[in-house]
Amino acid sequence: DAGVIQSPRHEVTEMGQEVTLRCKPISGHNSLFWYRQTMMRGLELLIYFNNNVPIDDSGMPEDRFSAKMPNASFSTLKIQPSEPRDSAVYFCASRRGQGLNYGYTFGSGTRLTVV
Amino acid sequence: DQQVKQNSPSLSVQEGRISILNCDYTNSMFDYFLWYKKYPAEGPTFLISISSIKDKNEDGRFTVFLNKSAKHLSLHIVPSQPGDSAVYFCAASGGGGSNYKLTFGKGTLLTVNP
């Protein structure tokens, strides 16, 4: 089991550019989450997919952020246009089923720096 | 409004001694609590959890205690080892049909000194 795979690990981009973060969940996991970690706010849920359908996107900061899950094995988080305040570590996580007995499995994260 | 609070940003403990990490929550609808451990440049990994119907859950060197009336939980690590040095996140879930969602504290950096 390769775990949750995120790419890229690091991304440095200029303000105004489009950024796309990618995630491959664990095979068989039907729930996928995007979290953002900042010093000020800690870990915040951005969006939650269940069976590829967005269920809760109330954490998405604004219209510049969008997320898709075209199939069970791939999701993207896009920021367009990016701003310096978007600099953070973005984590993807996946989970099998509805129970939280073992929480989620997180990827290693993408560290985004917008200059 | 932080619903899950970890008021100690850092904690330093001697190897072999007990580490106690604390967490407070404000949402009385939370009914499931988890602790995650995070090493630098890695994602958080699940450590231990507890349901609100229990007040204690133990797994090897790790024990989580839950005091519902005080809305407080703690993670005890005994004995502490240098490899336990990491950031520990408290997380909570439950209530209002949002049981998929984990609300995290900001974390406590634990340093175990040899």
Side-chain angles (χ1 to χ4, degrees), chain B residues 34-81:
Chain B
L34 306 90
W35 285 93
Y36 277 78
K37 180 169 72 173
K38 184 183 181 304
Y39 293 118
E42 295 183 11
T45 56
F46 170 78
L47 189 58
I48 192 169
S49 64
I50 188 167
S51 165
S52 60
I53 62 174
K54 296 186 176 182
D55 55 18
K56 176 183 175 181
N57 188 25
E58 192 171 352
D59 183 2
R61 296 185 298 113
F62 302 91
T63 303
V64 56
F65 295 92
L66 175 63
N67 182 334
K68 284 183 63 180
S69 60
K71 294 190 177 68
H72 177 83
L73 63 156
S74 60
L75 175 68
H76 292 210
I77 306 173
V78 182
S80 302
Q81 300 173 353

Side-chain angles (χ1 to χ4, degrees), chain A residues 9-37:
Chain A
R9 288 298 305 273
H10 302 274
E11 177 78 37
V12 181
T13 190
E14 291 186 349
M15 182 174 63
Q17 297 296 307
E18 176 180 298
V19 176
T20 300
L21 311 181
R22 297 172 176 80
C23 175
K24 177 179 169 55
I26 292 174
S27 177
H29 283 194
N30 60 349
S31 295
L32 185 139
F33 308 82
W34 282 98
Y35 274 81
R36 177 172 69 175
Q37 183 185 19

Side-chain angles (χ1 to χ4, degrees), chain A residues 25-26 28-33 48-52 69 93-98 104, chain B residues 100:
Chain A
I26 292 174
H29 283 194
N30 60 349
S31 295
L32 185 139
F33 308 82
Y48 158 57
F49 291 89
N50 188 49
N51 292 324
N52 313 337
M69 192 165 185
S94 70
R95 183 188 78 197
R96 183 195 304 272
Q98 298 294 313
Y104 313 151
Chain B
Y100 55 84

Side-chain angles (χ1 to χ4, degrees), chain A residues 3 11 13 28-29 38-39 47 61-63 65 71 80-82 84-85 95-96 98 102 105 109:
Chain A
E11 177 78 37
T13 190
H29 283 194
T38 61
M39 290 294 293
I47 188 168
E62 48 198 271
D63 292 346
F65 284 69
N71 56 62
Q80 165 65 15
S82 57
R85 61 192 167 120
R95 183 188 78 197
R96 183 195 304 272
Q98 298 294 313
Y102 300 100
T105 300

Side-chain angles (χ1 to χ4, degrees), chain B residues 16-17 27-28 50 74 78 98:
Chain B
R17 306 294 291 268
N27 188 339
S28 57
I50 188 167
S74 60
V78 182
S98 62

